[in-house]
Amino acid sequence: MAEGSSIESISHEQRRFVPPKDFAAAAHIRSIEDYEEQYKRSLADPDGFWAEVAADSHFFRKWDRVLQWDPPFAKWFVGATTNVSFNCLDLQLQRGRGDQTAILWEGEPVDAQGRPRDVQRITYRELHRRVCRFANALKSIGVRKGDRVTIYMPMIPELAVAMLACARIGAPHSVVFGGFSATAIVDRVNDAESHVVITADGGWRRGAIVPLKATVDEAAQASPLIRTVVVARRCGQEIAMQPGRDVWWHDIEQGASDDCPAEPLDAEHMLFLLYTSGSTGKPKGILHTTAGYMVFTAYTARLVFDLKPDDVYWCTADIGWITGHSYVVYGILQNGVTTLMYEGAPNFPEWDRFWSIIERHRVTKFYTAPTAIRAFMKQGPQWPNRRDLSSLKLLGTVGEPINPEAWMWYHAHIGTQRCPIVDTWWQTETGGILISPLPGATPTKPGSATRPLFGVDAAILDKSGQEQPANSGGYLCIRRPWPGMLRGIYGDEARFRRQYWSEIPGVYFTGDGARRDADGYFWIMGRVDDVIKVSGHRLGTAEIESVFVAHPKVAEAAVVGFPDEITGEAIAAFITLKTGIAPSPSIKDELSRHVAHTVGAIARPKVIRFTDALPKTRSGKIMRRLLRELATKGTVEGDTTTLEDFGSIARLREEES
Ligand code: WTA
């Protein structure tokens, strides 16, 4: 493995991989010339281009106009009515895909021979039936079009059923990742003003039950908005059901009809909210609507994963993140292929679980995160080597920059040097993939997400909006609207404008730093704001800081990210305790537990350091840059001239050595 940081290896990266000939020959886009030509056309006539793409989807009523753009507000397919659930299900039945497996699900528990105990194959016909029934059940408990429904579930088929049922009746869903805590549920429920929570008794993770219902109980204690809790039975253990509030999924489904025609919804009807971290303390409810998101996810899934009717496609992301929304559920089902869902941990019962799933179900397309690849790399190639991975045709990554070493390992040991790799760049806000190789067309360079997809006008700009020359770093921006873009931050227009559209007026600011090389390839360098990526999951420094400060013993906190071999970034917290409280290892433990309990285990800091004062500028702003340097290198060499009290850094540095 090469030495040095990923940024260094990126700049020395010379390797190129052309798409395998046989793959290219059968691909949707077969050559780089083809890509170039279509890309030009897509930007020359975006309306014509997207109208053509949308013709593959079903609309109850056709649009009057493809795009109405009053920056920063876009409306796509204006005047059309459609339904995403219809496109994922009914349209597939019309196309003769009824007997095809829609969801192939594997639960975590295994028997004595190591075989999975719970496997379900749900056909499109069966999924349609289950979604219709549950949609009727939701109606029967009073859920109406426009009501926001919170979903807090393990990776079981009911999660997808719940989303599709909401979409079917026009009730926007807000999925909260099952690893988050009660506080996270409460914040999201309150912000979305959601009265119904759908959950399960629990889910399996590393051989233990994650008690989801108990967490919802805790949330419901804290939020009077929660009036109804629907509980799916997964683990079967005893749980408390509160009469008048809690209902079993199977009970409300009793007697519900299988007939539930999909509601024709306005193109801009809210499909879902998904909360994500930004640079201030409060999570933002990223708002996505119906037609644009639908068309964009279907199209990008088809091209980037080169989907074909017999594909068994597996994206390992939890549905609680945008990757799961777009590329486990919506984008994939619209293509009528099989989407695999796995409930549990990658190392249960052993480190070859993923590879055994690929072998068992003959997975053809596999999409995962760099942090997972690095973890597998550390365990060694003997785990994938003992499994038959010959069904694989394509690999993908998402969530953070992939270091070329990890890319090469993925290529060698999982793709066995045969499979193209698509390194896909996108965000919760973008709804779908914006920058990625097309696997039959784009030569890849390990560590680069390569080139923008059709209709995507990506550029590297400086603060003044000037486009940067080749290989100069700058801000990654998108200069034109695209169908999958967010339509706002729920209930906060000012923040929407400020966060994404004011840094460089008129263009979408991604918050990522990047450069573009002489071949027009994008190399993403990471966030330029106060967002940390731990195992590919977004966490805001300000959010975690306020959790620390909420602890009775903490006076002040500063949180920064620093590089970590496996998780990409890890969290370092610099803490000032209240007067009279002495630092100790037990307080460290207490604070660490406090954060994990309040936010979720992914926010647990790797390093906690106590200090009598945080380094601040004269105007009182915490100099996180210095703390980041300290956490990364153990010393501070950067400019400290604006520091109010240099002693704070000196003391931290001494303590380090
Ligand atoms: C980062 C995940 C480099 C980036 C879909 C972005 C990436 C943030 C890549 C969004 C990639 C995502 N290469 N960086 N291929 N994909 N990112 O909202 O910093 O969880 O801004 O969406 O992840 O994270 P989010």
Side-chain angles (χ1 to χ4, degrees), residues 109-117 349-350:
V110 291
D111 65 16
Q113 281 74 47
R115 286 181 307 233
R117 200 187 65 189
E350 292 202 274

Side-chain angles (χ1 to χ4, degrees), residues 351-372:
W351 273 102
D352 65 346
R353 183 62 185 265
F354 276 16
W355 322 130
S356 80
I357 291 175
I358 292 174
E359 178 181 71
R360 190 159 39 249
H361 302 296
R362 305 294 295 161
V363 170
T364 56
K365 312 272 162 85
F366 179 68
Y367 190 33
T368 195
T371 184

Side-chain angles (χ1 to χ4, degrees), residues 3-13:
E3 292 288 328
S5 77
S6 56
I7 300 285
E8 276 164 33
S9 355
I10 282 168
S11 40
H12 298 141
E13 186 54 60

Side-chain angles (χ1 to χ4, degrees), residues 556 614-624 642 644:
E556 212 175 10
L614 291 169
K616 288 185 188 163
T617 61
R618 285 180 196 104
S619 61
K621 214 169 160 276
I622 297 173
M623 293 185 75
R624 290 198 186 74
T642 53
E644 167 71 22

Side-chain angles (χ1 to χ4, degrees), residues 591-611:
L591 293 180
S592 175
R593 273 199 312 273
H594 168 71
V595 174
H597 178 78
T598 316
V599 186
I602 50 167
R604 193 189 289 278
K606 187 167 180 192
V607 171
I608 294 183
R609 298 192 48 192
F610 296 111
T611 169

Side-chain angles (χ1 to χ4, degrees), residues 359-630:
E359 178 181 71
R360 190 159 39 249
H361 302 296
R362 305 294 295 161
V363 170
T364 56
K365 312 272 162 85
F366 179 68
Y367 190 33
T368 195
T371 184
I373 299 167
R374 288 190 298 264
F376 292 131
M377 218 168 133
K378 194 170 170 200
Q379 299 302 318
Q382 72 278 14
W383 294 104
N385 286 353
R386 66 190 223 192
R387 296 291 179 175
D388 175 8
L389 303 180
S390 63
S391 56
L392 286 173
K393 294 184 181 155
L394 172 147
L395 306 175
T397 77
V398 60
E400 53 176 320
I402 181 164
N403 23 331
E405 296 79 10
W407 196 104
M408 291 304 298
W409 191 89
Y410 199 28
H411 172 71
H413 297 290
I414 310 303
T416 57
Q417 319 216 13
R418 300 174 295 110
C419 301
I421 297 181
V422 289
D423 173 354
T424 63
W425 178 89
W426 58 296
Q427 310 179 295
T428 305
E429 292 86 344
T430 69
I433 299 166
L434 295 194
I435 304 179
S436 167
L438 293 177
T442 316
T444 50
K445 307 182 189 184
S448 170
T450 79
R451 314 212 16 205
L453 297 187
F454 303 139
V456 175
D457 185 15
I460 306 292
L461 307 179
D462 68 8
K463 279 251 150 134
S464 70
Q466 278 295 317
E467 186 154 11
Q468 295 301 287
N471 287 317
S472 298
Y475 300 108
L476 175 61
C477 297
I478 314 295
R479 291 185 291 203
R480 297 191 199 195
W482 65 99
M485 68 196 281
L486 78 165
R487 301 300 197 264
I489 294 175
Y490 190 64
D492 201 344
E493 185 183 318
R495 192 173 177 194
F496 173 63
R497 289 180 183 275
R498 195 171 60 240
Q499 183 91 41
Y500 304 109
W501 304 96
S502 64
E503 203 72 39
I504 301 159
V507 304
Y508 173 77
F509 176 70
T510 64
D512 278 0
R515 70 184 169 90
R516 193 175 198 172
D517 71 17
D519 298 329
Y521 278 46
F522 285 86
W523 298 81
I524 313 297
M525 275 140 37
R527 304 288 307 189
V528 294
D529 54 11
D530 290 322
V531 170
I532 311 181
K533 276 261 164 173
V534 180
S535 299
H537 302 320
R538 266 164 82 159
L539 295 165
T541 53
E543 235 172 290
I544 304 170
E545 284 164 6
S546 45
V547 171
F548 272 113
V549 175
H551 190 281
K553 291 181 183 155
V554 174
E556 212 175 10
V559 162
V560 297
F562 68 102
D564 180 274
E565 213 187 309
I566 301 293
T567 59
E569 280 189 289
I571 293 171
F574 295 83
I575 306 288
T576 309
L577 293 171
K578 286 200 178 139
T579 321
I581 297 179
S584 71
S586 77
I587 296 192
K588 259 190 204 181
D589 284 352
E590 191 179 327
L591 293 180
S592 175
R593 273 199 312 273
H594 168 71
V595 174
H597 178 78
T598 316
V599 186
I602 50 167
R604 193 189 289 278
K606 187 167 180 192
V607 171
I608 294 183
R609 298 192 48 192
F610 296 111
T611 169
D612 57 351
L614 291 169
K616 288 185 188 163
T617 61
R618 285 180 196 104
S619 61
K621 214 169 160 276
I622 297 173
M623 293 185 75
R624 290 198 186 74
R625 178 175 57 78
L626 299 184
L627 294 173
R628 207 173 295 129
E629 226 183 305
L630 199 62

